[in-house]
Amino acid sequence: MALVNLDQVHKYYGDLHVLKGIDLKINKGEVVSVIGRSGSGKSTLLRCMNGLEQYQEGGIVVDGKEVTTEDIQVRQLAMSVGMIFQNFNLFPHMTVGENIMLAPTIVLKKPKYEAERIARAMLEKVGLGEKFDSYPEKLSGGQQQRVAIARALAMNPKVLLCDEITSALDPELVGEVLKVLEQLAKEGMTLILVTHEMNFARDVGNRVVFMHQGKVWEEGDSNTLLSNPQTDELKQFIGAVL
Amino acid sequence: MIEFSNYDILRNLLFATQWTILLSLAAFIGGSSVALTLTALRLTRNKVVHSLIRGYVELFQGTPLLMQMFLCFFGLSMLGYEISAWGAAILSLTFFTSAFLVEIWRGCIDTLPKGQWEASRCLGMSFLQILRYIILPQAIRVAVAPTVGFSVQVIKGTALASVIGFVELTKVGTMLNNATFEPFKVFTLVAIIYFLLCYPLSLYSKVLEKKFNGSR
Ligand SMILES: Nc1ncnc2c1ncn2[C@@H]1O[C@H](COP(=O)(O)OP(=O)(O)OP(=O)(O)O)[C@@H](O)[C@H]1O
Ligand SMILES: [Mg+2]
């Protein structure tokens, strides 16, 4: 069974039909880019995958666990799925080290020295070893986002969900975050990213999912799909972003 | 008739001020405890609990504190519960204080970005863990200034306890006025004492607010 399975998922916000029967299977180690116009349901799709949003029909199974918004299931799922947000969402009252150590300590119940070892290792991995004792507000956006990645990695997830994680960054800081993602992809991490970085999607990603009006409009191998789009909608979209 | 020197007046007023302070503290501590419980309950997603708390807040914010005191004092006595003026004053001031604090604190919690909750949830924390490690430490920093500011209202509110016969600053002021027939002198002194109690708190609240706004 694939790592992430969506089976005919429908999601409504009140009367608004946002996801209209999404079928998607994502295997371990895949790097999947979700692209599409604003409002096409990309964020909603991601947020349904880890129980931040409730879906009304169909089924989602991730790492063998059924996804619901029930508190207990969301917490179970957090052991398998990490999420990175556009605006970082670091905890501003804690140092970088404390940000990363918190969940391993209180959720995974690791002893403090072990949590600290993990935190330092993850910080090294994102190239911020020396920032352990800094407060988030002292860091640049790119550094904050890398800390957020380290914080998610410290939970040892099987898949990372990234929702436009470079969109809030100054252009010159985008590269350092993408580099970290590329490294993770090389190491075999499963990544599902909503992104506008078409080069990244083509060069690092394996697969592209084009969302349109709440449906998976077109999907396939990233190189093929981006250089040879089949539908008018995707052609238009690629024309608009390039 | 006994003669009251200025010294006697001041001495009596200062003695009574202790009771005003004590009543304020009791009301504040009682009110905070109730408000803390209600604030935590508000954060759960239970609709019934929400409307009950809403009703509580509307009731005690929407009626005069004096009426609440009358009801606590005379109302409870008529229902057969003997209650002292002290008890009735504390009880009604606790209702009053908690009804305002719960709103103030909810506002503080609402100013925290939704992303703080979401990120915590995605890291597998439970509701109580999120409150304890993420929300409360940040909300408290936001809440100190308006809470200290509101404590001024509690101190001024204690003056109403004089009407149900609790002997605090205002009550003693009234008594001294009846004895000396010097309302201007007596009530000026009373007002000055209230001001000296309240002004430092208002000032401190402003300082805290600046400090907080500066550090963001
Ligand atoms: N909490 C909400 N309540 C009601 N409607 C919502 C909510 N969140 C999103 N929507 C609506 O659902 C639709 C899909 O939103 P979504 O955020 O998933 O789009 P998106 O593809 O991520 O767009 P963007 O590129 O702008 O981030 C939009 O029409 C949006 O207005
Ligand atoms: Mg979005």
Side-chain angles (χ1 to χ4, degrees):
Chain A
M1 192 173 188
L3 183 57
V4 177
N5 295 271
L6 284 84
D7 178 26
Q8 277 302 308
V9 173
H10 289 263
K11 157 84 189 164
Y12 301 81
Y13 283 116
D15 289 336
L16 189 66
H17 199 173
V18 181
L19 297 181
K20 304 173 181 165
I22 306 283
D23 283 312
L24 203 58
K25 287 198 191 321
I26 294 166
N27 290 310
K28 198 170 165 339
E30 269 194 289
V31 176
V32 179
S33 309
V34 181
I35 61 174
R37 289 229 303 264
S38 179
S40 56
K42 307 179 298 290
S43 297
T44 308
L45 177 67
L46 235 57
R47 293 163 59 83
C48 283
M49 288 185 195
N50 67 348
L52 278 184
E53 295 287 352
Q54 190 158 23
Y55 52 92
Q56 279 73 39
E57 286 166 50
I60 303 181
V61 177
V62 177
D63 194 21
K65 298 166 195 156
E66 191 197 343
V67 180
T68 72
T69 51
E70 287 297 316
D71 216 40
I72 296 179
Q73 258 153 319
V74 171
R75 287 164 63 193
Q76 275 297 321
L77 200 69
M79 318 271 177
S80 309
V81 187
M83 187 162 203
I84 327 275
F85 301 85
Q86 184 172 342
N87 45 7
F88 328 136
N89 291 335
L90 294 178
F91 307 133
H93 59 300
M94 296 179 182
T95 64
V96 163
E98 289 165 346
N99 261 276
I100 306 176
M101 285 167 64
L102 182 65
T105 314
I106 66 173
V107 177
L108 302 180
K109 312 269 184 235
K110 293 202 191 288
K112 200 162 170 277
Y113 68 89
E114 172 74 4
E116 181 171 342
R117 191 188 60 71
I118 296 173
R120 290 195 185 277
M122 293 308 136
L123 269 183
E124 282 300 332
K125 201 185 184 83
V126 299
L128 292 172
E130 77 288 9
K131 297 293 185 195
F132 192 85
D133 291 314
S134 308
Y135 278 89
E137 63 180 350
K138 301 275 181 244
L139 305 183
S140 73
Q143 291 173 327
Q144 290 193 42
Q145 194 58 293
R146 286 188 279 152
V147 171
I149 295 174
R151 183 174 70 177
L153 289 177
M155 293 297 281
N156 195 20
K158 299 217 168 90
V159 48
L160 274 186
L161 308 176
C162 307
D163 192 357
E164 300 202 31
I165 68 171
T166 57
S167 297
L169 299 179
D170 293 336
E172 73 270 19
L173 301 177
V174 169
E176 63 189 59
V177 173
L178 292 184
K179 228 173 74 193
V180 169
L181 285 186
E182 187 172 353
Q183 183 58 34
L184 289 175
K186 273 203 193 107
E187 291 169 12
M189 174 63 79
T190 312
L191 297 173
I192 306 177
L193 6 113
V194 174
T195 184
H196 297 297
E197 301 290 335
M198 290 304 149
N199 292 333
F200 185 87
R202 178 172 42 229
D203 301 341
V204 180
N206 313 118
R207 182 143 59 112
V208 167
V209 172
F210 173 60
M211 299 272 302
H212 186 68
Q213 295 179 349
K215 293 185 181 135
V216 174
W217 206 256
E218 209 176 319
E219 71 162 311
D221 170 77
S222 50
N223 265 316
T224 324
L225 194 96
L226 291 176
S227 50
N228 189 17
Q230 298 301 303
T231 60
D232 288 343
E233 288 78 5
L234 181 54
K235 278 177 200 157
Q236 241 175 31
F237 178 78
I238 291 174
V241 292
L242 285 187
Chain B
M1 200 179 103
I2 321 162
E3 279 298 312
F4 279 89
S5 66
N6 286 346
Y7 170 74
D8 288 328
I9 294 177
L10 194 60
R11 191 172 49 93
N12 277 296
L13 287 178
L14 287 179
F15 185 77
T17 305
Q18 296 178 359
W19 287 102
T20 291
I21 295 175
L22 209 62
L23 183 57
S24 305
L25 279 177
F28 198 75
I29 293 169
S32 309
S33 319
V34 174
L36 195 64
T37 315
L38 294 183
T39 305
L41 285 173
R42 267 220 61 132
L43 289 170
T44 64
R45 281 179 250 170
N46 190 317
K47 286 236 169 63
V48 180
V49 172
H50 276 209
S51 359
L52 284 177
I53 294 174
R54 212 189 155 68
Y56 179 89
V57 169
E58 301 280 333
L59 181 66
F60 288 103
Q61 284 195 2
T63 53
L65 176 56
L66 188 58
M67 294 307 125
Q68 295 164 21
M69 253 180 220
F70 280 162
L71 280 175
C72 279
F73 189 56
F74 301 116
L76 282 181
S77 320
M78 282 182 69
L79 291 176
Y81 299 99
E82 259 338 297
I83 187 163
S84 61
W86 167 242
I90 290 186
L91 194 62
S92 51
L93 279 164
T94 296
F95 287 141
F96 169 81
T97 308
S98 60
F100 280 90
L101 284 183
V102 78
E103 283 288 286
I104 293 175
W105 292 350
R106 186 180 63 104
C108 292
I109 287 177
D110 287 350
T111 61
L112 301 182
K114 214 173 85 215
Q116 293 287 304
W117 288 92
E118 291 185 346
S120 312
R121 247 166 100 72
C122 291
L123 288 166
M125 291 183 225
S126 70
F127 176 72
L128 287 177
Q129 285 175 331
I130 300 175
L131 273 191
R132 173 167 165 207
Y133 293 101
I134 309 302
I135 302 303
L136 285 185
Q138 296 185 67
I140 285 170
R141 284 169 56 185
V142 194
V144 180
T147 304
V148 171
F150 177 72
S151 66
V152 169
Q153 303 302 321
V154 179
I155 294 177
K156 292 196 277 190
T158 61
L160 293 176
S162 62
V163 183
I164 56 171
F166 180 70
V167 183
E168 41 62 76
L169 184 53
T170 302
K171 180 73 179 174
V172 168
T174 323
M175 285 152 61
L176 285 168
N177 175 47
N178 291 340
T180 62
F181 301 108
E182 290 195 274
F184 190 74
K185 186 198 281 177
V186 170
F187 288 120
T188 303
L189 281 172
V190 169
I192 288 174
I193 295 177
Y194 274 116
F195 184 78
L196 290 177
L197 289 178
C198 294
Y199 185 62
L201 286 171
S202 312
L203 208 62
Y204 184 48
S205 158
K206 296 229 168 63
V207 170
L208 285 170
E209 202 170 333
K210 274 230 186 66
K211 193 172 130 196
F212 173 74
N213 286 338
S215 77
R216 287 295 301 250

